Amino acid sequence: MNNELNTDVLIIGSGIAGLFSALKIAEFTNVIVVTKKDETDSSTNYAQGGIASVLGNYDSYESHIQDTLIAGAGLCDPKAVEIMVKEGPERIKDLIKIGTKFTLNKNGNYDLAREGGHSVARIVHAKDLTGKEVERALIQEVNSHKNIEVKEDYFAIDLITEHNVNLLKDSQLDNRNCWGAYVLNNNSNAVIKISAKATVLATGGLGQVYLHTTNPGIATGDGFSMAYRAGARMANMEFIQFHPTALFQPNKTNGNKERTFLISEAVRGFGGKLKTINGEYFMAKYDERKDLAPRDIVARAIDNELKKSGDEYVLLDITHKSAKEIVDHFPNIYNTCLSKGIDITKEPIPVVPAAHYACGGVMINEFSATNIKGLFACGEVTMTGVHGANRLASNSLLEALVYANRAAIGIKDFMKNNVIKIPEIPSWDDSGTLTADEKILITHNFKEVKQTMWDYVGIVRSNMRLERAAKRIHTIFEEMEEFYKRTKVFVEILELRNLIAAAHIIIKSARMRKESRGLHYTIDYPETDNINPPQNTIIQNKNP
Ligand code: FAD
Ligand code: SIN
């Protein structure tokens, strides 16, 4: 069997970032997209609320920029925000051109919704199944493109850099190249080397690092970990966004890559009110924007109410709105809750915060290039500077679109202006390894990482909790490394290895920030440092 593939551009991931960049890159060259499960398995597919963009005639770029900067708590890069906001409407038009059907209002215009932190209604959506509709249109277009080949069940293990081809001595940490990736074909169990002139990391998020998450099982932080291992610069990994309103389900363990169902922020945008189990309305105590304050504020308010009362959940009440309108706006949420015995038109929804989004990631420039030559990145795995210390609702899909398009521009330029010579790349070496016979150890370690991160690196942190988490994750890392070195690779161990690395990166970044800002709140430094200029937390693996 041929365990080698070559392409001009390798894209890792088939969510909005991977597929949209594939379409843009395929306009000038050939592309292979690898994706670790089937092509629709992504966070994108579960996005509910929609995509924020300046589309209403009452709206302005300035207003969207300001809302984004305010949510970001002083840490956004204003240039990156401006790029996203101003290029957003064009990218939404691109989606419409390939057949994405967004919901229209009764006048035939796009029905724009409002979410937390937005001063006006500006979220274009497809009912409450926006991601599914966007992903459908993208896949249809990608699958009919002659320059794009999609390979499902292809799990990227590691990026190929000087490190893998034994040229490390000759290259500085910030002067290295990426020439593709080693990828496990999960059907044949063969590790394939895919060499490429340029590689796009579009692997999405890391919610599975936490016990309770809205993210699907694929979100094990693979891209963050691969990039870190390869020596990419990473920033602001301490800023993990907890969505305030995930459905509370008693007896749900979540230990094994389950996903907690999201109750979209659009429900609060539509008038939903948060209350305690006793019916006390509490958001007015915490912020003048009440239920539509940015997510960090709402999630901390819920956390505080739960700690005070000892309850397991709070309530989100939308019953004062007409049943017909609720069902029409939120068919997915209505039907899913109904299937679990909750009629949201008649009774409030029990909700809890859950890990939702990584605001930090691989640092990229305005054309989506990382510090590693030939390695580009877009989507949730990146840190563009757009989100700062807290992402504004529905800015994620927009950021992914804008920076996926910019990756294509960056790659076109990179391929035109560089003579790219790919060295001889060795085949994957698994001599001396055995097939794993104790997979239970993996499952156990997986659960331990998730529980540790939930208990010690959650919404409220402290020096002591972070230190404890660091120690536990290190012990699990040592156990896993020992197992990894003597075992033939398979998906579960690769995911565990990535989960541990992602946890390590989050904890390390959180320990570096000696203040509370946005999503990072620690009882040891409860104030925001308003004396020194705000700093990104930048880390880089010096021994890749
Ligand atoms: P993803 O869509 O997650 O795609 C990542 C891809 O990479 C997948 O195909 C995956 O299989 C692949 N992959 C990962 N690792 C590997 C590997 N090792 N090898 C090969 N392939 C790999 N944002 C908004 O703006 N608006 C919303 O309304 C909204 N709602 C959301 C609702 C939910 C429930 C969730 C979970 C998120 C929501 N978000 C929303 C956030 C947003 O959906 C994500 O940030 C965005 O979809 C990320 O896109 P992506 O392309 O970067 O990653
Ligand atoms: C939601 O619908 O609440 C999710 C929106 C987002 O994550 O931006």
Side-chain angles (χ1 to χ4, degrees):
M1 180 183 282
N2 183 10
N3 286 344
E4 189 171 344
L5 290 169
N6 303 303
T7 178
D8 278 345
V9 181
L10 168 65
I11 297 178
I12 308 174
S14 63
I16 190 169
L19 296 178
F20 196 70
S21 62
L23 287 175
K24 293 288 179 179
I25 295 166
E27 287 173 14
F28 58 86
T29 195
N30 66 309
V31 177
I32 290 181
V33 178
V34 294
T35 188
K36 74 184 197 183
K37 289 186 87 182
D38 68 56
E39 57 189 357
T40 56
D41 221 323
S42 61
S43 286
T44 301
N45 205 34
Y46 297 99
Q48 293 184 353
I51 313 179
S53 198
V54 178
L55 299 167
N57 53 15
Y58 48 80
D59 202 356
S60 69
Y61 290 147
E62 199 39 46
S63 165
H64 190 184
I65 289 171
Q66 275 313 313
D67 290 345
T68 304
L69 295 176
I70 290 168
L75 211 57
C76 301
D77 172 353
K79 178 81 184 131
V81 174
E82 190 184 337
I83 287 173
M84 177 188 75
V85 167
K86 291 192 172 167
E87 294 180 12
E90 275 306 305
R91 300 291 76 82
I92 305 248
K93 278 188 206 150
D94 286 345
L95 287 183
I96 294 167
K97 249 187 253 156
I98 62 164
T100 311
K101 292 192 171 40
F102 292 115
T103 302
L104 303 176
N105 62 23
K106 53 182 182 307
N107 303 323
N109 299 319
Y110 287 110
D111 179 49
L112 301 176
R114 189 166 170 198
E115 290 180 5
H118 288 278
S119 39
V120 297
R122 61 165 72 96
I123 322 286
V124 67
H125 62 104
K127 300 269 182 185
D128 58 351
L129 287 160
T130 308
K132 199 168 186 178
E133 172 57 12
V134 169
E135 186 87 2
R136 180 202 62 75
L138 284 169
I139 283 176
Q140 185 175 300
E141 195 71 5
V142 160
N143 285 343
S144 62
H145 204 297
K146 68 176 177 23
N147 280 354
I148 307 175
E149 188 183 352
V150 179
K151 293 191 164 291
E152 297 184 315
D153 285 317
Y154 269 49
F155 189 113
I157 303 172
D158 265 319
L159 298 166
I160 298 172
T161 68
E162 278 80 352
H163 179 244
N164 318 80
V165 293
N166 300 322
L167 289 173
L168 192 57
K169 287 188 284 315
D170 303 324
S171 75
Q172 300 296 317
L173 193 55
D174 272 329
N175 187 27
R176 60 177 49 198
N177 298 274
C178 177
W179 296 299
Y182 288 110
V183 179
L184 172 69
N185 174 343
N186 199 27
N187 295 317
S188 69
N189 287 328
V191 177
I192 300 170
K193 57 175 168 177
I194 305 184
S195 59
K197 292 180 187 153
T199 302
V200 180
L201 200 57
T203 42
L206 48 63
Q208 286 294 333
V209 170
Y210 287 89
L211 190 60
H212 302 285
T213 179
T214 61
N215 289 192
I218 54 102
T220 46
D222 301 356
F224 301 89
S225 311
M226 278 190 269
Y228 185 66
R229 283 195 291 271
R233 276 154 65 85
M234 322 274 299
N236 293 349
M237 291 296 296
E238 66 275 34
F239 297 118
I240 302 298
Q241 182 168 73
F242 289 78
H243 197 292
T245 57
L247 181 64
F248 172 77
Q249 289 175 263
N251 308 325
K252 195 159 185 282
T253 60
N254 283 343
N256 208 6
K257 294 209 285 175
E258 284 171 66
R259 183 174 76 82
T260 306
F261 183 71
L262 181 74
I263 308 296
S264 174
E265 193 149 321
V267 173
R268 275 175 285 134
F270 189 64
K273 299 269 175 272
L274 285 161
K275 295 175 178 169
T276 63
I277 291 183
N278 296 332
E280 189 205 335
Y281 176 66
F282 59 83
M283 270 317 296
K285 283 190 303 198
Y286 293 92
D287 195 281
E288 60 187 15
R289 291 159 289 184
K290 302 176 190 157
D291 300 85
L292 287 178
R295 277 181 198 169
D296 55 333
I297 294 167
V298 183
R300 264 199 306 281
I302 295 176
D303 188 66
N304 195 39
E305 290 296 323
L306 294 180
K307 281 192 176 125
K308 276 194 319 195
S309 63
D311 293 335
E312 285 187 287
Y313 56 87
V314 294
L315 298 171
L316 177 58
D317 194 352
I318 190 76
T319 54
H320 52 284
K321 301 290 272 194
S322 102
K324 186 180 169 309
E325 275 190 294
I326 295 172
V327 178
D328 186 45
H329 274 78
F330 306 109
N332 175 34
I333 294 173
Y334 171 75
N335 285 318
T336 306
C337 289
L338 202 58
S339 74
K340 298 180 191 308
I342 305 160
D343 181 345
I344 69 169
T345 65
K346 298 200 174 93
E347 57 195 312
I349 314 165
V351 290
V352 280
H356 183 62
Y357 184 82
C359 291
V362 182
M363 291 178 83
I364 57 170
N365 70 12
E366 62 192 80
F367 288 102
S368 307
T370 70
N371 61 306
I372 300 177
K373 259 188 260 148
L375 179 64
F376 294 75
C378 47
E380 188 167 340
V381 74
T382 62
M383 199 296 274
T384 57
V386 156
H387 306 309
N390 179 34
R391 170 173 73 89
L392 185 65
S394 288
N395 265 355
S396 166
L397 295 172
L398 185 69
E399 181 203 40
L401 285 172
V402 167
Y403 285 89
N405 178 57
R406 285 182 154 253
I409 299 169
I411 288 173
K412 191 172 187 184
D413 193 52
F414 173 72
M415 286 175 44
K416 190 167 134 222
N417 295 324
N418 291 279
V419 181
I420 303 160
K421 276 178 57 190
I422 302 180
E424 185 61 33
I425 296 167
S427 295
W428 184 256
D429 181 8
D430 62 0
S431 51
T433 56
L434 301 168
T435 306
D437 52 3
E438 288 208 88
K439 287 197 181 170
I440 185 70
L441 297 178
I442 306 282
T443 320
H444 188 77
N445 279 349
F446 210 90
K447 286 184 189 163
E448 233 180 308
V449 174
K450 287 165 76 76
Q451 186 76 56
T452 302
M453 293 300 284
W454 186 255
D455 290 345
Y456 300 124
V457 199
I459 296 173
V460 175
R461 299 164 179 179
S462 73
N463 287 344
M464 198 262 285
R465 288 181 204 178
L466 292 176
E467 190 190 331
R468 197 171 272 198
K471 278 191 190 142
R472 301 217 166 152
I473 296 297
H474 186 71
T475 308
I476 304 169
F477 167 76
E478 285 180 330
E479 286 171 15
M480 182 278 306
E481 270 294 288
E482 202 250 323
F483 194 49
Y484 183 77
K485 282 187 183 134
R486 61 183 166 85
T487 311
K488 285 201 192 313
V489 289
F490 56 99
V491 166
E492 289 85 350
I493 193 156
L494 292 170
E495 288 191 332
L496 174 63
R497 180 174 175 240
N498 291 332
L499 205 73
I500 292 169
H504 165 74
I505 299 166
I506 296 168
I507 297 167
K508 185 171 173 161
S509 306
R511 292 178 90 186
M512 285 164 73
R513 187 166 289 282
K514 308 285 186 215
E515 62 165 347
S516 290
R517 182 183 293 275
L519 296 158
H520 176 73
Y521 181 79
T522 161
I523 54 176
D524 289 304
Y525 313 99
E527 304 299 327
T528 301
D529 178 354
N530 288 320
I531 297 168
N532 300 301
Q535 298 286 336
N536 291 320
T537 312
I538 299 175
I539 59 171
Q540 188 173 19
N541 179 10
K542 302 281 179 204
N543 297 304

